[in-house]
Every structure is written in C-alpha cells, then in structure tokens.
Amino acid sequence: MIFKMPCSVILLRGTMKGSDDPLALLYVGRYGNYHYLQKNLFEECDVVEERKTTLLTFRRHMDRMEAASDVAIVDIGWPYHGLMNRSGVYLEMPDWAGMALELGETWEDTIRLFRHTTRRQDLRHIRLNEYRCEPTNDRAAIEKFYDEMYLPFIESRHGLDAVKASRRHVVRRAGKGCLLQIFKGERVVVAGVVYPEDGALYFLWLGMPSDCIEKPPQAAISAVYYFGIKHALDQGLWAVDFTGTRTFLSDGVFRFKRKWGALVEDSFSPSSLLVRPKNGHLNAARFCQRFPMLVRRNGELEGLLLSVDAPLDDKRLSQLNALYGCNGISRMTVVDLSGHGKAGCRDVAVGDLEFRLIGAGLDHYADHYAKHAVRDSGL
C-alpha cells in the first residue's frame, strides 16, 4: 500500500492571517490538515507550484521547492512522521489534542474553575439573554438538528476540511445521551449532542440554524457549554470531555475551550504536523510569533512562542500567560529576537506556569526554537 499512497508537495504564497506580512509555506502531505492550514494561516494565498507524488518519492520535490519557502509543514500522518523526524530537525505538533474539564464537587466549585473573564462576561451574557436549556431524546428533534443545524454549521465552519458524522451515528448517540437545546424565547438558537461514558460527558456535535451562523446570537455557544457542564454535574459525572482541538495556541476553538477551565492532553491523535521554520527568514519568525504552537517534548506538551519586536518584560510575560497559558502545558518556551532580553537561557515562573526564555538572533533562532527548547540540550 505504501507504494500507492499518494502525497503532494505544494508551495503556497500569500498573506498571513490577521496581518499584512507575506508568507511562503511549503506543504508536504496527504491533505489531512491542508484545508485547515490554508484557511487559518493565510488571509489569502495562491498555489505557486504543486507536485503529485507518493510517500516514497516526495523528498526530491520537497528538497527542490523548500528553498523558496519560509516555513515547511509535513503532514504525512502516523507512523510516517516518526521516520521523517528521526534527525529531530522538525518541531512535532500533535495535529489534534484532547481537552477536558474535571468538575468540582459542587456547582460553585466548578464555576471557580472557569477563567475570570468567562465568569464576568459569558455568564453575564447568558443571564441577560435569558437562555434556557431543554435536554431531549426525541428522535424527530434530533433528526431536525442533524439536517437544519449540524450540517449547515459544520460546512460553514470547516468547509472542505469538514468530517461529517453520519445521521445514524448522531441519532444513536443523541438517543443514548441527549440533545441539549438552547432556547432564546421560544426558538432554539443552538444545540449540541452530549453523551455520557465512564463518568464523563462528551461534547460530540454542535449546530445552529443557518440564519444564525453568520452572526451568532450573543454568547449562544457559550450557553451550550455552560448548560452542558451543569448537566454533567447534575448527572453525577466527574468530568466533561470537549474532545479534539487543534494545537495552534491562537486557534479560536482552543482558546474558547480553555476559558472553561479545560485541561489540554496529548490523548486525541498519534499523528503529528512536522514544522520547520527557516533560519534568517524574518517572515518565518513572524509566522512563529503569530501562530504559537504546542509541541511534543519528552512525553509532554510544551507551548512554543516567539517574540520578534516586543521585549520580554514582566508585563509581556503576564500577557502571554493570559493569552495562551492552559492547564496541561508543561512549560512555555519563548524565543526572544527583540535584542532587549538577556542572552542565553533562563527559567522564570509566571503564575503557576514555568516559562523558559531563550535569547537568539534571526540567523540562528530556528535552531534554538527546535533544539534547545524541545530537547533541553542547553545553549
């Protein structure tokens, strides 16, 4: 089968998401994460060159095209990524990580696990909008959810990257678990399927009416999470599993789940995205700054960030911790290119999280980023 397994080498050039900075990205893989990367890393982009190949022959195309890129991402799946990274020159990102919340003994204890901004803003908006939750196992309601909420929602959110659950599977799981319908007035504005197993409540599928997708009602999705967590506690369960999440720390879904107190775990997928930014490329450094990531290090998850312009003073470190810190991350490593920090490597505590600060120059930052941060080899 490996002789027939297709693989593509694609050079993309465009503008980084949320900025005017250019980016040339070399994608090597089997399209498992291609559309996600294209949609979430680029504001707009064009395919400069594409070569169809196989897992045995892609290297000659990759070696030739990589010179024109700022960053290379290899997406060939398990177990092939392990063979590819035997030399250790790539950062190894889980393509998906799990996120789960361990519930408190009481509702008041559980609420205290939420982030401060969640308690102050999301819970307030849920009250002001007078959302209410009605769990149901009614088959007609579940089938209506699948056709009129789930399918439009997932197609809008994920496009070509969408992996759709079958109607039969959704109906069966919702029948054994339940469909949480969130009402505003007399109308369902969002709903989600939850399923209990082994003492945990699993959030499986979300959806909302087509006319709500472009401009969701205020805090409607927060209401699903809020009432789902409360439902789990009422059922005597000990945890809520939010299931798989992408591992870019700036990803909106990742940040949304962490604000409910979720712990991130390397438990959802054995596959990795192999990432190699280029030494000496300012665009590559800005890519690493704009898209901080989780990487596998010594059996743990470590956050990797880059600071190109701003000095890493106490205020900046507190901001980074507030933006990206999450339970389950063993350490945050920040490579400092600003020139204002100390040379070498030092560890500091920011809140409950350890930060490793590494001073580096543009000409060699990627070596530090991959080797010293991930392998603890020292400077």
Side-chain angles (χ1 to χ4, degrees):
M1 286 299 293
I2 192 171
F3 287 94
K4 298 180 180 179
M5 194 165 289
C7 178
S8 292
V9 182
I10 306 171
L11 181 63
L12 298 163
R13 187 172 288 125
T15 306
M16 273 184 250
K17 193 81 170 181
S19 77
D20 296 324
D21 295 323
L23 176 67
L25 175 71
L26 185 68
Y27 173 86
V28 180
R30 295 186 285 156
Y31 293 97
N33 299 282
Y34 175 73
H35 297 294
Y36 168 81
L37 295 170
Q38 189 180 42
K39 179 180 179 182
N40 289 275
L41 303 185
F42 286 99
E43 199 70 49
E44 55 183 20
C45 68
D46 297 309
V47 175
V48 177
E49 185 177 356
E50 180 174 0
R51 288 290 180 267
K52 304 287 186 180
T53 179
T54 72
L55 285 180
L56 287 183
T57 59
F58 71 83
R59 290 303 298 262
R60 63 189 180 92
H61 298 293
M62 180 181 179
D63 292 344
R64 177 179 59 81
M65 295 165 64
E66 193 170 9
S69 69
D70 301 308
V71 179
I73 295 183
V74 181
D75 179 26
I76 55 179
W78 184 90
Y80 308 106
H81 70 263
L83 299 173
M84 180 76 177
N85 201 29
R86 283 179 296 183
S87 60
V89 299
Y90 293 91
L91 299 169
E92 186 177 331
M93 290 180 62
D95 57 350
W96 293 86
M99 295 190 78
L101 168 66
E102 185 174 339
L103 301 171
E105 292 187 6
T106 67
W107 180 237
E108 289 71 25
D109 293 335
T110 301
I111 288 178
R112 281 193 284 270
L113 299 173
F114 302 165
R115 287 184 171 263
H116 175 68
T117 53
T118 307
R119 299 195 300 270
R120 189 181 73 240
Q121 298 177 4
D122 295 66
L123 271 57
R124 175 174 172 267
H125 291 317
I126 290 168
R127 291 194 300 271
L128 289 176
N129 284 279
E130 299 181 341
Y131 290 122
R132 72 179 193 279
C133 177
E134 293 186 9
T136 183
N137 299 107
D138 179 69
R139 185 183 180 93
I142 296 168
E143 290 180 340
K144 182 177 181 180
F145 160 80
Y146 183 86
D147 294 329
E148 299 181 14
M149 292 189 181
Y150 168 69
L151 289 180
F153 183 77
I154 193 171
E155 289 169 358
S156 172
R157 285 295 180 93
H158 301 290
L160 296 174
D161 204 31
V163 179
K164 301 173 188 175
S166 69
R167 172 195 289 268
R168 178 183 58 83
H169 190 45
V170 172
V171 170
R172 186 175 70 246
R173 289 292 187 182
K176 292 182 178 180
C178 70
L179 177 68
L180 298 177
Q181 299 180 109
I182 307 301
F183 283 82
K184 184 173 183 180
E186 298 304 313
R187 186 187 181 209
V188 179
V189 294
V190 65
V193 174
V194 294
Y195 181 80
E197 185 173 315
D198 296 331
L201 188 73
Y202 289 79
F203 273 58
L204 298 181
W205 303 287
L206 287 178
M208 58 175 45
S210 297
D211 60 343
C212 293
I213 292 174
E214 285 297 320
K215 191 176 181 181
Q218 186 181 46
I221 293 179
S222 292
V224 179
Y225 279 71
Y226 172 82
F227 286 111
I229 294 168
K230 196 170 189 302
H231 178 76
L233 196 66
D234 292 342
Q235 296 298 307
L237 304 174
W238 67 274
V240 173
D241 196 315
F242 299 132
T243 64
T245 308
R246 300 290 189 174
T247 54
F248 283 104
L249 294 173
S250 56
D251 183 88
V253 176
F254 177 91
R255 294 176 66 181
F256 183 84
K257 291 178 179 179
R258 67 189 270 277
K259 73 181 187 177
W260 298 98
L263 168 84
V264 61
E265 300 176 300
D266 191 6
S267 60
F268 197 81
S269 169
S271 294
S272 294
L273 293 175
L274 303 180
V275 183
R276 184 162 68 186
K278 291 281 196 71
N279 281 317
H281 285 220
L282 182 60
N283 294 337
R286 293 199 182 280
F287 168 88
C288 296
Q289 177 177 253
R290 181 162 291 277
F291 304 108
M293 60 192 80
L294 285 174
V295 298
R296 290 179 165 132
R297 178 185 65 85
N298 300 332
E300 297 180 320
L301 290 177
E302 176 169 311
L304 287 182
L305 304 91
L306 201 80
S307 181
V308 177
D309 305 310
L312 291 177
D313 54 20
D314 292 344
K315 180 179 179 181
R316 179 58 179 159
L317 290 176
S318 295
Q319 290 173 341
L320 293 175
N321 188 36
L323 282 171
Y324 306 121
C326 182
N327 294 332
I329 296 178
S330 63
R331 185 179 69 192
M332 288 288 209
T333 293
V334 191
V335 181
D336 183 8
L337 269 69
S338 69
H340 300 289
K342 297 179 181 179
C345 173
R346 60 192 176 97
D347 295 333
V348 298
V350 182
D352 296 328
L353 191 58
E354 177 187 315
F355 273 66
R356 168 158 291 188
L357 311 182
I358 299 174
L362 184 64
D363 290 340
H364 56 85
Y365 82 94
D367 292 335
H368 291 291
Y369 198 58
K371 295 179 182 177
H372 301 305
V374 179
R375 281 187 164 66
D376 288 329
S377 58
L379 293 175

